[in-house]
């Protein structure tokens, strides 16, 4: 109630000041206001729109977070008190690292992050919640908050104490550390204290504490690195740099255009806009198609009328104000209008923001303000096409609002002004920019690979409208993947980047050396793209027992052990799938003759337990596929009868291979014979230019050809 009374008093003073030509009015004055008193150059429905920029992440109050508070309790406090929900856990990680049953359950029952749980499992690792589960053997760190590199957190200047938290999944217990501007926070800073549970306490916050903050989360399985988050001290409207208010008087002629510029004010955080107030009994500046405020804060009249003769005040105010916010009044302008018959004038461009930059997904404002009498009518086109998209809204003709800016919006917009006495066109170019965008299968993710194999880790982004992207920066367990690391003896022969550093190739994976958390960041002038992944190297499958490749079976051969066994990583259970001549063998079939299982569980093949017909039906190709969730191998063998039954000895696979080799050899022989015949025919048709020897010459060892070479034919 007191605040409302105070507001009415202020506006009453405005009216008194206006009557006295604002003599002695203190311009550098701050007042509180309510939302309805914010005079913005927007349509009513646009005034009610929420800001297009994302809200800042949650910053805890003193009562929300305590030094010894468990991680899950802190998370629940955040979710309860914050309008910005934390992200769901990465589904790619869940699918890759939770066992098949758990992964299916997670996908079908996914809820918000704090409510997710998994059943008891022996999987390698999981990210079910912030609450560690005793059944989870391995959970490398995964930071879930802070998570967006485009968020800017503004610390309110009215408060004295702030808590800010880093929260991560992981088991066993995670150790947290913080960096400020790439330097490790220590106990030397009296205004910032970081606790073991990931919380930061700011006993004071000012420009001194402004900076880029980054969190490390570490346990025995690796170190995860958060995005860099800018924490900025709020800077509300301040007094003019000169400290001197600007009080100006203007004289305009009826029917002529007029404009008032607002003062050059100090920057604000977050950014405030320049608004104009009317010093009358209502303190309301009615915006029309004839007058309004442009994007630079200049109050413009297409032409003036005698009713415009009054006093105006410029102020800074948030785009969407709350009752606790404040504005600061700056310069004033007193307008006197000289009456005269209006002269018809064609449109003339007074202002346009010819080049507008808008971030993808945000809101863009394109503006063309024309003077002229009567007031020009303005129409907008995108290229040569009329604007029909529902995302496009026009205010008083002079402003074009584009919500949820898309890449296709980039280009030239035209505003045409006409009032019957002329037509003027103006072009406004919209440049759509954005931080690097994610591409499908282009970034780090949770990857599980067997030892000895190779892997490719990717860090790729897409540029909007051919913007430049900086070279990716890579981290391994929180440390830069620089030349020092790449040239170390253990890594030099196995780690290498592609030329653009968008891919990291690791060969001959080593379980101890290569299992780690990997992160990468791609940046441009508008922001950055951050990928977080985990590479888990597991033991390769090793076959420890297998039958001979070719088994000869007969009624007298006795039981034959055809068991297949393998060893793998302790993380994963091994599955065996059998096939006979291409068809699956069910587990129950191994209980029927000629198969059986002994006391140790080995599979036995005993020909003596069945007749010849049944035995013949069980001769052929056998294979056993051994697999876990991430790798597999196949063991194959053949069972056939003895040579006394040659009709059963022929193995279909072997026969096919033998016929293939026979066909290949016959083909090669045919080609060789053809080549020889061709050579003989050519030599017979094209004899060499030599002297043919007769039998007598050969008998007496004569060599006429050599004689011809030794002396000329005439002498001979």
């Amino acid at each position: 109630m007191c605040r409302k009374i105070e507001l009415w008093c202020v506006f009453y003073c405005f009216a008194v000041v206006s009557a006295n030509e604002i003599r002695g009015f203190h311009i550098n004055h701050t007042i509180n206001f309510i939302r309805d008193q914010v005079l913005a150059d927007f349509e009513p429905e646009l005034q009610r729109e929420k800001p297009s920029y994302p809200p800042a992440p949650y910053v805890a109050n003193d009562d929300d977070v305590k030094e010894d508070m468990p991680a899950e309790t802190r998370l629940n406090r955040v979710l309860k008190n914050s309008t910005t929900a934390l992200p769901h856990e990465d589904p790619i990680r869940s699918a890759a690292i939770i066992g098949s049953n758990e992964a299916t359950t997670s996908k079908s029952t996914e809820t918000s992050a704090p409510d997710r749980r998994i059943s008891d499992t022996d999987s390698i690792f999981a990210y079910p919640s912030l609450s560690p589960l005793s059944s989870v053997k391995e959970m490398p760190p995964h930071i879930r908050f802070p998570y967006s590199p485009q968020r800017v957190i503004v610390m309110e200047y009215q408060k004295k104490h702030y808590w800010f938290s880093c929260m991560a999944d992981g088991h066993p217990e995670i150790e947290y550390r913080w960096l400020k501007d790439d330097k490790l926070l220590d106990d030397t800073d009296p205004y910032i204290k970081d606790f073991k549970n990931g919380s930061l306490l700011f006993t004071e916050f000012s420009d001194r504490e402004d900076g880029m903050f980054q969190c490390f989360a570490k346990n025995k399985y690796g170190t995860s690195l958060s995005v860099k988050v800018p924490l900025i001290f709020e800077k509300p409207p301040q007094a003019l740099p000169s400290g001197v208010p600007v009080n100006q008087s203007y004289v305009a002629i009826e029917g002529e255009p007029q404009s008032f510029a607002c003062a050059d004010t100090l920057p604000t955080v977050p950014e405030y806009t320049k608004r104009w107030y009317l010093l009358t009994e209502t303190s309301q500046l009615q915006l029309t198609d004839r007058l309004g405020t442009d994007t630079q804060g200049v109050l413009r009249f297409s032409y003036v009328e005698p009713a415009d003769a009054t006093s105006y005040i410029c102020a800074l105010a948030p785009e969407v104000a709350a009752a606790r916010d404040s504005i600061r009044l700056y310069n004033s302008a007193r307008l006197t209008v000289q009456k005269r018959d209006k002269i018809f004038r064609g449109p003339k461009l007074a202002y346009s923001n010819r080049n507008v930059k808008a971030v993808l997904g945000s809101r863009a404002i394109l503006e063309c303000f024309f003077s002229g009498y009567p007031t020009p009518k303005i129409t907008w086109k995108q290229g040569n096409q009329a604007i029909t998209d529902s995302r496009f809204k026009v205010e008083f003709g002079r402003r074009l609002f584009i919500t949820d800016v898309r890449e296709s919006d980039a280009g030239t917009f035209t505003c045409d002004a006409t009032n019957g006495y002329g037509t003027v066109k103006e072009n406004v170019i919209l440049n759509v920019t954005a931080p690097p965008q994610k591409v499908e299968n282009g970034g780090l993710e949770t990857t599980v690979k067997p030892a000895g194999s190779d892997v490719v880790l990717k860090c790729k982004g897409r540029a909007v409208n051919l913007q430049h992207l900086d070279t990716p920066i890579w981290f391994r367990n929180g440390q830069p993947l620089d030349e020092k690391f790449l040239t170390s003896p253990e890594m030099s022969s196995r780690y290498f980047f592609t030329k653009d550093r968008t891919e990291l190739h690791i060969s001959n994976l080593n379980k101890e050396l290569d299992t780690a958390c990997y992160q990468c960041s791609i940046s441009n002038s508008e922001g950055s793209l951050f990928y977080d992944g985990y590479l888990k190297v597991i033991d390769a499958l090793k076959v420890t027992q297998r039958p001979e490749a070719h088994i000869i079976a007969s009624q007298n051969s006795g039981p034959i052990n055809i068991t297949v066994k393998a060893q793998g990583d302790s993380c994963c259970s091994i599955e065996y799938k059998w096939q006979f001549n291409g068809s699956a063998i069910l587990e129950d079939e191994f209980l029927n003759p000629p198969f059986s299982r002994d006391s140790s569980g080995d599979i036995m093949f005993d020909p003596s337990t069945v007749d010849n017909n049944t035995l013949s039906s069980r001769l052929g190709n056998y294979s056993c596929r051994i697999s876990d969730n991430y790798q597999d191998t196949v063991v194959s063998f053949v069972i056939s009868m003895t040579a006394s039954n040659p009709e059963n000895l022929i193995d279909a696979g072997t026969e096919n291979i033998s016929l293939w080799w026979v066909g290949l050899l016959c083909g090669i022989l045919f080609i060789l014979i053809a080549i020889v015949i061709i050579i003989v025919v050519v030599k017979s048709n094209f004899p060499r230019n030599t002297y043919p020897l007769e039998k007598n010459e050969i008998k007496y060892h004569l060599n006429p050809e050599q004689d011809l070479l030794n002396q000329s034919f005439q002498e001979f």
Side-chain angles (χ1 to χ4, degrees):
M1 177 65 69
C2 293
R3 177 172 293 182
K4 291 184 178 179
I5 295 174
E6 181 181 352
L7 286 171
W8 282 111
C9 291
V10 170
F11 288 120
Y12 177 78
C13 292
F14 283 176
V16 174
V17 171
S18 176
N20 293 279
E21 297 182 357
I22 62 175
R23 293 175 182 174
F25 185 78
H26 188 229
I27 302 297
N28 287 324
H29 180 64
T30 302
I31 63 170
N32 293 328
F33 63 92
I34 59 177
R35 189 182 305 274
D36 294 339
Q37 293 169 329
V38 177
L39 307 178
D41 203 1
F42 302 122
E43 289 182 329
E45 61 269 20
L46 292 179
Q47 290 185 18
R48 292 192 294 270
E49 285 185 356
K50 294 182 179 180
S52 58
Y53 52 83
Y58 171 71
V59 179
N61 294 318
D62 293 348
D63 296 334
D64 293 334
V65 180
K66 302 298 182 182
E67 176 182 351
D68 56 350
M69 186 175 291
E72 186 172 20
T73 304
R74 287 187 290 122
L75 176 62
N76 290 333
R77 291 287 181 91
V78 169
L79 294 176
K80 179 180 179 181
N81 296 298
S82 174
T83 57
T84 305
L86 296 181
H88 292 291
E89 70 182 60
D90 186 353
I92 297 179
R93 291 186 183 233
S94 300
I97 62 185
I98 300 177
S100 57
N101 293 334
E102 289 78 10
T104 303
T105 303
S106 297
K107 290 179 181 178
S108 61
T109 62
E110 184 168 358
T111 59
S112 60
D115 298 328
R116 286 195 65 170
R117 295 294 186 270
I118 62 172
S119 58
D120 290 348
T121 174
D122 290 331
S123 60
I124 355 182
F125 48 92
Y127 295 97
S129 70
L130 287 177
S131 178
L133 304 179
S134 59
S135 60
V136 177
K137 294 182 179 180
E138 178 179 345
M139 190 189 293
H142 173 52
I143 295 177
R144 67 164 73 212
F145 187 81
Y147 57 90
S148 173
Q150 270 62 255
R151 303 273 176 145
V152 176
I153 300 173
V154 179
M155 299 296 194
E156 298 177 16
Y157 73 96
Q158 297 99 330
K159 292 185 64 177
K160 294 184 178 180
H161 294 84
Y162 300 88
W163 288 93
F164 187 73
S165 293
C166 176
M167 285 172 272
D169 296 314
H171 183 73
E173 186 178 356
I174 292 175
E175 298 178 7
Y176 295 91
R177 292 306 306 268
W178 281 90
L179 294 179
K180 179 180 182 290
D181 296 332
D182 296 324
K183 294 182 179 179
L184 191 66
L185 281 176
D186 52 33
D187 296 333
T188 59
D189 192 325
Y191 305 105
I192 306 176
K193 172 66 176 176
D194 61 326
F195 295 98
K196 294 181 179 180
N197 66 357
S199 297
L200 276 180
L201 171 63
F202 297 90
T203 58
E204 291 185 16
F205 205 102
S206 64
D207 291 341
R208 177 188 57 241
E209 281 70 52
D210 280 359
M212 301 292 289
F213 288 80
Q214 191 172 29
C215 171
F216 284 85
K218 178 182 180 181
N219 67 11
K220 63 182 292 186
Y221 297 110
T223 301
S224 184
L225 187 65
S226 78
V227 299
K228 292 183 177 181
V229 179
L231 301 185
I232 302 175
F233 185 58
E234 183 180 19
K235 298 177 178 61
Q238 302 296 318
L240 290 173
S242 62
V244 179
V246 179
N247 306 320
Q248 292 182 314
S249 297
Y250 297 89
V251 178
I253 300 175
E254 184 178 359
E256 297 283 343
Q258 185 63 49
S259 62
F260 309 141
C262 193
D264 291 332
T265 59
L266 294 172
T268 61
V269 177
E271 184 177 357
Y272 280 46
T273 56
K274 295 177 180 179
R275 312 273 176 82
W276 283 89
Y277 291 77
L278 184 64
L279 289 181
T280 65
E281 292 182 358
T282 61
S283 297
Q284 189 75 26
L285 178 60
Q286 299 296 331
L287 306 175
T288 67
D289 57 354
R290 186 178 62 86
L291 76 151
T293 307
D294 65 26
T295 53
Q296 300 299 313
V298 178
L299 180 61
R300 296 183 180 276
F301 298 80
S302 177
Y303 65 89
V304 297
E305 294 182 339
D308 298 327
T310 186
S311 296
Y312 303 86
I313 290 288
C314 176
L316 287 189
E319 183 176 292
V320 178
R324 65 179 181 178
D325 293 327
S326 62
I327 63 175
R328 180 170 288 276
L329 305 176
Y330 286 103
N331 57 308
S332 66
R334 173 67 179 174
L335 178 63
T336 301
V337 179
Q338 295 181 358
K339 294 185 178 181
R340 191 187 69 176
D341 292 338
K342 297 185 181 70
I343 300 175
F344 294 106
R345 299 176 182 274
K348 183 178 180 181
L349 180 67
Y351 170 78
S352 73
N353 51 354
R354 290 184 174 87
N355 291 284
V356 178
K357 184 177 76 170
V359 177
L360 190 69
S362 67
R363 185 182 67 181
I365 302 177
L366 281 61
E367 186 170 38
C368 293
F369 199 102
F370 293 90
S371 63
Y373 178 75
T375 302
K377 181 180 179 180
I378 305 172
T379 57
W380 288 85
K381 293 181 180 179
Q382 184 178 14
N384 296 321
Q385 303 296 322
I387 293 175
T388 58
D389 196 317
S390 60
R391 297 180 298 111
F392 293 56
K393 297 180 181 179
V394 179
E395 177 208 33
F396 299 122
R398 60 177 174 268
R399 271 187 178 178
L400 174 63
F401 291 86
I402 306 176
T403 57
D404 188 22
V405 171
R406 303 171 184 173
E407 288 186 63
S408 58
D409 297 333
T412 301
F413 289 78
T414 303
C415 49
D416 298 346
T418 181
N419 63 356
Y421 294 92
T423 300
V424 177
K425 293 184 178 182
E426 174 69 6
N427 292 331
V428 179
I429 299 175
L430 175 61
N431 177 27
V432 179
T433 65
Q437 303 294 296
K438 287 188 175 182
V439 296
E440 186 177 0
N441 300 322
L444 290 170
E445 57 187 19
T446 298
T447 304
V448 181
K449 286 285 187 177
S453 63
D454 301 338
V455 69
V456 177
L457 305 180
K458 299 179 180 179
C459 186
K460 297 183 178 181
R462 182 178 64 85
V464 173
N465 291 332
L466 302 178
Q467 286 181 282
H468 171 74
L469 297 184
D470 295 336
T471 302
I473 300 174
W474 291 75
F475 300 89
R476 178 184 179 277
N477 281 338
Q479 298 300 317
L481 271 172
D482 51 19
E483 292 303 320
K484 181 179 179 181
F485 175 86
L486 297 176
T487 55
S488 62
E490 300 86 357
M491 311 301 178
S492 59
S493 61
R494 300 188 301 109
Y495 280 64
F496 73 91
F497 284 105
T498 55
K499 186 176 181 181
D500 57 4
R501 294 181 74 89
T502 59
E503 292 184 359
L504 172 61
H505 294 245
I506 309 175
S507 60
N508 191 21
L509 288 171
N510 183 288
K511 182 177 181 178
E512 302 300 327
L513 296 177
D514 301 323
T515 298
C517 297
Y518 293 81
Q519 294 90 24
C520 68
S521 176
I522 310 173
S523 302
N524 66 2
S525 58
E526 302 302 326
S528 61
L529 172 64
F530 189 80
Y531 286 113
D532 180 21
Y534 182 70
L535 173 61
K536 173 65 179 179
V537 182
I538 61 176
D539 292 328
L541 286 174
K542 180 181 179 182
V543 178
T544 58
Q545 182 177 340
R546 69 169 73 206
E548 296 181 1
H550 190 186
I551 299 173
I552 305 298
S554 68
Q555 293 288 350
N556 301 322
S557 61
I560 304 169
N561 193 329
I562 61 170
T563 303
V564 176
K565 292 183 179 179
Q567 290 180 348
D569 196 276
S570 59
C571 72
C572 314
S573 58
I574 298 176
E575 187 178 30
Y576 299 86
K577 292 184 178 180
W578 286 82
Q579 284 191 341
F580 170 63
N581 288 339
S583 299
I585 304 178
L586 300 178
E587 185 66 26
D588 292 344
E589 296 183 52
F590 287 122
L591 303 177
N592 300 321
F595 305 107
S596 65
R597 287 188 179 273
D598 62 13
S599 58
S600 62
D602 286 358
I603 302 174
M604 309 302 293
F605 184 89
D606 191 352
S608 64
T609 59
V610 294
D611 56 32
N612 284 337
N613 291 334
T614 305
L615 177 60
S616 297
S617 66
R618 286 301 184 179
L619 300 179
N621 297 308
Y622 287 81
S623 66
C624 178
R625 180 177 294 276
I626 312 164
S627 63
D628 55 26
N629 291 334
Y630 313 105
Q631 56 185 322
D632 60 12
T633 186
V634 177
V635 173
S636 301
F637 58 94
V638 177
I639 301 179
S640 63
M641 295 189 69
T642 60
S644 61
N645 297 289
E647 66 276 6
N648 296 323
L649 270 175
I650 302 176
D651 174 64
T654 307
E655 181 181 4
N656 290 336
I657 294 175
S658 300
L659 291 175
W660 184 82
W661 277 104
V662 171
L664 179 62
L665 292 175
C666 290
I668 294 174
L669 183 61
F670 176 79
I671 294 173
L672 291 175
I673 294 173
I675 292 174
V676 171
I677 294 174
I678 292 172
I679 293 174
V680 171
V681 172
V682 170
K683 289 180 69 66
S684 62
N685 292 332
F686 300 96
R688 295 176 61 187
N689 189 20
T690 59
Y691 181 88
L693 300 179
E694 296 182 355
K695 293 181 179 181
N696 289 334
E697 292 171 328
I698 296 174
K699 179 179 179 180
Y700 294 104
H701 305 290
L702 299 177
N703 191 348
E705 185 177 7
Q706 186 63 38
D707 293 339
L708 289 173
L709 294 174
N710 295 336
Q711 54 185 327
S712 65
F713 182 79
Q714 291 80 0
E715 292 176 352
F716 175 79

